[in-house]
Every structure is written in structure tokens, then in C-alpha cells.
Amino acid sequence: MAIARLLTPSEIGIYSVTMVLLGFVATFRDLGAGQYLVQNKSLTEEKMRATWSVQLGLGIFLAALVLAAAVPVARFYGEPQMVEIMLVLALNFAITPFLAYPNAWLVREMRFGSIAGVRFVGALVHAASAIGMAWFGFGPVSLAWANALTTVASIVAIWVFACPRLPWRPITRGIGDVVSFGGKLTATSLMNTLSGGAPELLLGKLQSMVDAGLFSRGQGLVTMFQRLVMDAVNSVALPYFARQSREARDLGASFLVAMELITGLGWAFFSGVALMAYPAIRILYGAQWDAAVDPARWLAVACVFSIPAAICSPPLIGIGAINDVLKATLLSMLATVIATVFGTLLGLLQLSQCLIVSGLLSSAFWIVTVRKHIGFTGGAILRVWGKSLLVALGASAASVAVIFHWGWRPNELLFPVLVSGIGGILGAFFMAWASKHQLWHEIQRAYLARSGKR
């Protein structure tokens, strides 16, 4: 919210395009070594040292690569500010292994309290450094320094909160096993980065940095769900499904519960964003981002169709079905890139609309893939989606009433948002109760746990 008022759309666009480019490099940051450590069924000290060796070596190599690429990339886009951004982020690559290794160990041990503490410290440092430097006129490099300082703070915090006792001496023995497992995961990460970053890369080159910035801001609104919900869910889901696989449990019921929770929350959130994008963007980011409103609406609709795919990867990785993860990711990437190329040639709004089609196709690819390994029927998942749709309709009712009364772009901002937000929460709760949705069961469980009942 603060950065959107301190930096211009063009500055946001420069940073976004740089981060997308470095996102391709970041996919090779540990070659899936962290996930190898999390899912390994017979973890030994040798395997842990091999994991650390891969992460450390790649961190140093990628830092040098980013340093070498800084000037050529800036010349290609004609943006000198990209050089300084890449120099700072090269430093971040070099120090990230000292965070990634102990963090992977914490995830495997399911020590989510410690992970939460580390993330909280990182969030505070990131916000303070990004806002402070932008306030004093450092421009888009403020966000790069915020990332680097966040990594430093998180490294300190992980030792304070967790005191990990890990083997740190690098070795060469066992690296092949880590790379063999992680190489396929890295390929999937690379494809995810390509499909996620293609819109900003193409807009920045074929349209303008302003369009790239507007898309980034619209996408930033809808990806709040990814940051607030899915990042936390995926942190828990992978070690959870991996442990269930190690214990030879049936994953079907757990997968359907996870799908019901994610689609219930996601569809309610995205329907609200699609309906209330104008007042939300005005309040959060300011009037300079009005041109991002309509793209944000269509991006929210695209997320409605793509969110079922979001919970499919962790159980597949947890059971070791890496080849099928790779295939599903490839199909999803192709659908997204084709839609992106076609939409970018037409314009920013059309790009956002084209992503609806790719989102639908991605979910279809992933659901078909999961059914090969995890037992559930088509009728069962349709019932899950039906209950989540009811929750979304309940969450949307107040927003629809607001639009009928104030219009799509109301002059008054705060009161319509309050009516929509409070009414949406109440409507979602009511429909969750009426449909006996898993969200309602979780609310009951949390209440009973808090009150000391069982």
C-alpha cells in the first residue's frame, strides 16, 4: 500500500520485469534440494550435507551469473536502473543458502511455530526497509534492498527461534541423488516461473513498462490470496502429504478436504475482488492505479478457474510422482504462454481475459494428473466444488448489493467496502454452515480447541 504511493507505475514495472527475469535464475537456486530434504524417507547426515553442498554451490554460482548479466539486461530493456537492482539481488542469491538449508529442515520437522516467527521478522524488516528507502527517494532499488535485508534478518531469526543443529561441512558424495530428484522439480519451477512472468516480460517489451507496472499491480491484488493463504498452506501441505505417504496412508480423503478448504476460501476471495476491484485499488494503492482496475477484475476471474490446481502439486511431490508433476506443469505452462502471447499482442485488458482460458485448462490438467495417483471419484470432487460455490455466492451477495446501490466505481469508497467486506464474511459463514462446508468444520474445531473442549 505504501510502495504503490511512493513509486510510479513505471518504477514498479522496472522492478517487476527485473524480478521476473531473475525468477528464472532463482528456479535453479537449490535444484529442489530443500524439497529433497523434506520428502526423503530415510534422511541421513550424508544426505543433509549433500543438500547443503548443492544449495551453497548454486548460491555462489548464481550470484556471479546475475552480476555478469546486469549490464546486458539493462541495455536490452533500455533501463539503467536495472543494473543496480541486479547487483543488490546478486548479493541476496549469495546469502540465501544460509536460510534455505535450515528452513527446509524446519519444514521437514513440521516446526511451523519457528517458521512463523522467522517469517514475521522477515515481513517486518521487508516492510520497514522497502518503505523507508522508497520514502527517501531510492526508487525501485528500495525493493531489492528490502529483499536482501529480509534474508539477513531471517537468517538471524532462524538461529534465535530454532537453534538448528545441522551438519555444515560440504561434501561431493550424494550430490548426484539430490540433483537427480531436484532437477525435475527445478524444471517444473522454471516452467511455473515462465508462465507466471511471461505477461510482465512481454508487456514490458511489446507494450510499455507502464503496462507492465499496471499488470503487476492488478496481479498484486489478486495474488494476496497466494501470499496470505497458499504460501502458508503449501508450507504445511508438502511435509503433511509426505509424512502420510511415508506412513502408507490413503491420501484421497485428505486431498478432498484440502481442495474444499482452498476453493471455499479462494472463490469467496476472488469473487469479492472481481466485484470490488475499484474501491479496493483506490483505497490500497491510490488513484494513479485506476487503469489496473479492469485487468484486476479479469485476473480475479482467471484465478477462480485456476485455484483448484494450486493444491494438486504438494501431494504429488509428497508421494514422489515427479514425472507427472513435470508433465502437468508443462501442459499448464504451454496453455499460459500461448494465452499470454496472444493477449499481449491485443493489449493489457485482453491479456487478462485470455488468462481465464489458460487457468481453466491448467486446473483440468492437474486434476486429471492427481486422479492417477490419489483415489477420489469425479462425483466427490464435484460435490466439493458445489459446496465451495455456495460459499462464494454467499460471500458475493453483499458486493452485488453494493454495486446495485453505488455502481461499479462509487465516489464513496470506505463505506461500500465495509458493507461488502462485513456482509461477505457473514454471507460466507452462513453458506458454509448451511452446506456443512469444511470451512465451518474448521471454525468449529478452532472454537472447541480454544475453549478447551474436545
Side-chain angles (χ1 to χ4, degrees), residues 36-176:
Y36 169 84
L37 191 153
V38 170
Q39 65 82 47
N40 197 279
K41 294 183 179 181
S42 55
L43 191 65
T44 63
E45 179 178 329
E46 181 179 297
K47 291 178 180 179
M48 295 179 72
R49 289 168 60 191
T51 299
W52 164 241
S53 302
V54 170
Q55 291 176 323
L56 179 63
L58 282 171
I60 296 171
F61 171 76
L62 295 177
L65 180 64
V66 172
L67 285 173
V71 174
V73 168
R75 286 177 179 170
F76 177 77
Y77 278 97
E79 294 291 347
Q81 289 178 294
M82 296 178 79
V83 174
E84 189 177 0
I85 294 172
M86 293 182 71
L87 294 180
V88 175
L89 292 176
L91 170 65
N92 196 43
F93 275 108
I95 62 177
T96 293
F98 295 91
L99 172 63
Y101 179 44
N103 186 74
W105 173 74
L106 288 177
V107 171
R108 179 183 173 87
E109 297 297 315
M110 301 185 76
R111 292 180 56 178
F112 299 117
S114 298
I115 293 171
V118 172
R119 289 188 174 187
F120 180 73
V121 170
L124 289 180
V125 172
H126 191 278
S129 54
I131 294 170
M133 294 187 69
W135 179 275
F136 287 106
F138 285 89
V141 77
S142 306
L143 301 177
W145 275 113
N147 279 342
L149 293 173
T150 297
T151 302
V152 172
S154 298
I155 292 170
V156 174
I158 212 165
W159 287 97
V160 171
F161 289 118
C163 300
R165 296 181 179 179
L166 302 172
W168 290 94
R169 185 165 62 87
I171 59 171
T172 56
R173 190 172 55 255
I175 286 180

Side-chain angles (χ1 to χ4, degrees), residues 35 37-39 103-112 115 232-247 314-315 317-318:
Q35 289 163 305
L37 191 153
V38 170
Q39 65 82 47
N103 186 74
W105 173 74
L106 288 177
V107 171
R108 179 183 173 87
E109 297 297 315
M110 301 185 76
R111 292 180 56 178
F112 299 117
I115 293 171
V233 168
N234 287 330
S235 296
V236 177
L238 176 56
Y240 172 74
F241 284 116
R243 186 174 69 178
Q244 286 207 322
S245 176
R246 290 195 297 268
E247 296 173 357
I317 296 174

